[in-house]
Amino acid sequence: MALKLWARAAVLAAFLLPTGALHAETLAELDALSDSAQDEGGAIAAAQDLAADGAYLEALATLERMLAVHPRSPEGRLLHALYLCRVDDQRGGQVEIGKLKDSEFGSQTLADARAACAAGGETP
């Protein structure tokens, strides 16, 4: 139940964040981003922080590094799909959402995610 509530909130939050860029500019910053991706919770938090600053490509990269280590992370998989939609890859986002299970997220959460993705990353 807690996951379903988190997932529903993530769908809405992923599309209501402001846009503005945040970039790693030094090797130390890049190393820190890479290291944070090894821990599932840390990587999700880092990706959300990046997305909040409009750095969706960096957020996707962080999630992809984390998903390589934790491929079954439900939160990571949902955020990855939603951020694909935000970078104008609605087809990729819809494919990823289609791989998620109603039993993990709830049918309403996944319907909200599909609708938001179809709207080009905007909440309907």
Side-chain angles (χ1 to χ4, degrees):
M1 182 64 160
L3 176 60
K4 290 180 183 178
L5 291 175
W6 177 91
R8 192 163 170 76
V11 169
L12 297 175
F15 296 108
L16 297 175
L17 297 172
T19 58
L22 171 71
H23 300 283
E25 296 182 10
T26 67
L27 290 176
E29 290 171 335
L30 288 172
D31 285 342
L33 285 174
S34 182
D35 290 344
S36 72
Q38 300 304 309
D39 171 61
E40 183 178 357
I44 289 169
Q48 290 172 320
D49 288 345
L50 288 163
D53 289 326
Y56 289 100
L57 294 177
E58 289 90 342
L60 281 164
T62 299
L63 289 171
E64 287 169 1
R65 286 189 299 271
M66 183 274 295
L67 288 168
V69 178
H70 305 282
R72 295 180 188 230
S73 168
E75 297 93 344
R77 291 170 34 229
L78 177 61
L79 283 177
H80 185 265
L82 294 172
Y83 293 164
L84 284 174
C85 300
R86 285 297 293 217
V87 298
D88 203 27
D89 185 4
Q90 285 83 23
R91 182 175 290 184
Q94 292 288 7
V95 167
E96 293 301 314
I97 292 167
K99 293 177 183 178
L100 303 176
K101 295 182 175 34
D102 284 347
S103 61
E104 281 185 296
F105 296 96
S107 59
Q108 186 59 52
T109 297
L110 294 181
D112 291 347
R114 284 186 201 95
C117 191
E122 300 297 324
T123 53

